[in-house]
Amino acid sequence: MLETLPIASWTGPYAPEIKARALAGLEGGAVLFFPNLAFALAEKEKQFLDARVSDGKAKNISLDPSGKLQSTALTGKSAKDLAAMMARFADSTSSLVAGLLPYRDIERARTSYRPVQVKGRSQSKISDDRLLHVDAFPSRPMRGRRILRFFANVAPTSPRHWHVGEPFEDFARTFLPRVGPHMPGKSWLFDKLGVTRGRRSLYDELMLSLHDTAKLDDAFQKNSPHQKVAFPPGSCWMVFTDMVLHAAMGGEFALEQTFHLDVEQMAQPERAPIKVLERLSGKSLA
Ligand code: SIN
Ligand code: FE
């Protein structure tokens, strides 16, 4: 479930044996764990280790690839410095991913900074990431493309606690028969109304239903098999969050970089959630 890699540098070249383990682990549904890889903050960046950097509304501060910073209470020079720290993280993770994985065409998506303690946060069940889930986002149709995320724990002392759940196929077999029928016309309407960026495919509808149904199922949350992982301060990890059931249970101050990837880029495309769901449902989903 955890593939631990002894990498200590953001730039390659990395040993062929390490690259092989990274690829097989990632596509097989493991979390790649880098205990010796720290994202170091500059002295002046340590001011950002403060929950008040957040605007108090959104869970995360985000920086999109065009450079737009959202959901921070900071303004002026401090906001610029925070954006620069996040951009440096995006560059570092892009360099590592390019050196470690064979994906030639991988899209760098959003960067997020998560300065608020996970534990005390109150929110609806659907948006509560302390409940086991696979990632699926209402406004961002993926049409089968993969969501790959790279995390760094930049907290000075607290570990980031996760639960990691059962394999995707086991989960899908249980929940697929329970998710409601797709409402024809809804995806088209949401696209026209601007609710989504582009039209949701059947895959997106299904993944959203799986995400919501799992979070709302108290018995599943309580009883389904999961392992506890603590990512120490100064460590990093990377995982396909559209496939690996995960929940963030505690911790503060994490950075996260999202990448998007076409299924065809994978060494084992049949492992992609869309392929698994198509096989189990007997339908074409995108
Ligand atoms: C999530 O992706 O569900 C949250 C992960 C985290 O913030 O550690
Ligand atoms: Fe998630």
Side-chain angles (χ1 to χ4, degrees), residues 44-250:
K44 64 163 194 194
E45 289 170 340
K46 295 193 176 151
Q47 60 171 309
F48 302 136
L49 298 173
D50 185 329
R52 289 168 302 180
V53 164
S54 154
D55 70 0
K57 292 181 208 121
K59 274 188 285 199
N60 309 324
I61 296 164
S62 68
L63 179 73
D64 70 26
S66 71
K68 188 167 156 211
L69 186 68
Q70 276 174 304
S71 311
T72 177
L74 301 178
T75 55
K77 165 105 171 69
S78 320
K80 257 204 183 125
D81 288 347
L82 176 64
M85 177 182 88
M86 293 171 72
R88 185 161 56 81
F89 180 68
D91 290 342
S92 302
T93 59
S94 299
S95 153
L96 181 135
V97 162
L100 189 62
L101 299 168
Y103 308 140
R104 282 305 128 233
D105 196 8
I106 185 161
E107 180 202 344
R108 171 162 148 182
R110 274 192 176 176
T111 314
S112 69
Y113 179 46
R114 306 167 176 222
V116 183
Q117 171 57 248
V118 171
K119 234 172 226 154
R121 261 177 359 204
S122 77
Q123 57 225 314
S124 72
K125 277 193 182 177
I126 297 293
S127 52
D128 190 348
D129 290 337
R130 292 169 301 188
L131 298 169
L132 277 172
H133 65 282
V134 286
D135 284 349
F137 302 106
S139 63
R140 287 168 191 270
M142 297 302 291
R143 298 179 202 89
R145 298 186 85 210
R146 307 299 314 272
I147 303 172
L148 178 62
R149 296 189 134 169
F150 192 105
F151 294 86
N153 185 355
V154 294
T157 53
S158 16
R160 199 166 189 85
H161 295 279
W162 272 32
H163 288 175
V164 177
E166 65 189 348
F168 182 77
E169 185 156 344
D170 296 352
F171 166 66
R173 275 183 198 282
T174 313
F175 279 88
L176 211 43
R178 286 175 42 187
V179 299
H182 170 64
M183 213 191 295
K186 193 170 87 179
S187 315
W188 175 84
L189 184 67
F190 278 5
D191 182 21
K192 292 296 157 216
L193 292 174
V195 175
T196 55
R197 301 186 176 192
R199 190 165 164 179
R200 277 186 202 157
S201 61
L202 277 173
Y203 171 74
D204 295 295
E205 299 289 352
L206 208 46
M207 289 296 280
L208 282 166
S209 300
L210 290 172
H211 169 276
D212 294 0
T213 312
K215 279 188 173 174
L216 294 171
D217 184 335
D218 295 338
F220 171 77
Q221 291 298 329
K222 207 164 136 228
N223 304 324
S224 76
H226 60 264
Q227 295 192 37
K228 296 184 170 138
V229 195
F231 301 105
S235 73
C236 292
W237 61 104
M238 171 160 59
V239 56
F240 277 119
T241 52
D242 55 0
M243 167 183 189
V244 175
L245 279 155
H246 60 283
M249 308 310 290

Side-chain angles (χ1 to χ4, degrees), residues 17-33:
E17 174 255 342
I18 298 287
K19 287 163 90 167
R21 271 168 57 198
L23 183 64
L26 205 55
E27 293 195 3
V31 177
L32 300 187
F33 174 43

Side-chain angles (χ1 to χ4, degrees), residues 39 135 138 244 263 270:
F39 184 73
D135 284 349
V244 175
V263 169
E270 69 282 3

